[in-house]
């Protein structure tokens, strides 16, 4: 269930950012809205990570904490949403299976 939610949120964010920020699309947004959309990926990743950590029967799972930290790190370093999503999902999968 959580993989479906993570993937669906990734698709929603990618499509929203593509439609609103692609120069070929004839939709013009004010500059302050464009600046706010630059923070959408880090905010979304933070919200997803916090939810995943605390849903596990009130136990903190170390694999999720490490995955969350890498997810936040990727979102701060990389500025491409699709790359952030793919790297973060790979890290979550690795940490869940390794730890």
């Amino acid at each position: 269930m959580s993989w479906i939610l993570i993937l669906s949120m990734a698709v929603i964010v990618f499509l929203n950012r593509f439609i609103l920020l692609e120069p070929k699309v004839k939709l013009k947004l004010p500059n302050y809205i464009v600046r706010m959309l630059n923070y959408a990926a880090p905010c979304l990743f933070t919200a997803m990570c916090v939810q995943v950590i605390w849903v596990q029967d009130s136990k903190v799972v170390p694999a999720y904490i490490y995955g969350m930290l890498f997810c936040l790190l990727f979102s701060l370093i990389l500025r491409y949403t699709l790359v952030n999503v793919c790297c973060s999902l790979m890290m979550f999968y690795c940490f869940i299976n390794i730890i």
Side-chain angles (χ1 to χ4, degrees):
M1 180 68 174
S2 64
W3 281 105
I4 294 171
L5 289 175
I6 291 172
L7 290 174
S8 62
M9 291 299 289
V11 168
I12 290 169
V13 169
F14 178 73
L15 290 177
N16 283 336
R17 289 178 62 89
F18 176 77
I19 290 170
L20 295 175
L21 299 176
E22 176 62 32
K24 295 176 187 172
V25 177
K26 300 295 182 199
L27 180 65
K28 182 67 178 164
L29 295 174
N31 287 334
Y32 70 92
I33 292 179
V34 173
R35 282 195 317 258
M36 286 190 310
L37 287 174
N38 287 331
Y39 297 103
C43 292
L44 175 72
F45 288 140
T46 303
M48 286 180 357
C49 293
V50 169
Q51 291 297 321
V52 169
I53 288 172
W54 299 113
V55 170
Q56 298 287 325
D57 296 328
S58 300
K59 293 186 228 174
V60 178
V61 181
Y64 290 124
I65 292 176
Y66 297 140
M68 176 192 68
L69 293 175
F70 276 98
C71 180
L72 292 173
L73 182 70
F74 287 143
S75 67
L76 292 173
I77 294 173
L78 305 172
R79 300 310 290 175
Y80 299 103
T81 304
L82 185 60
V83 175
N84 286 337
V85 169
C86 292
C87 291
S88 299
L89 288 176
M90 285 189 305
M91 293 306 292
F92 272 120
Y93 183 73
C94 290
F95 285 126
I96 288 170
N97 290 327
I98 291 171
I99 296 179

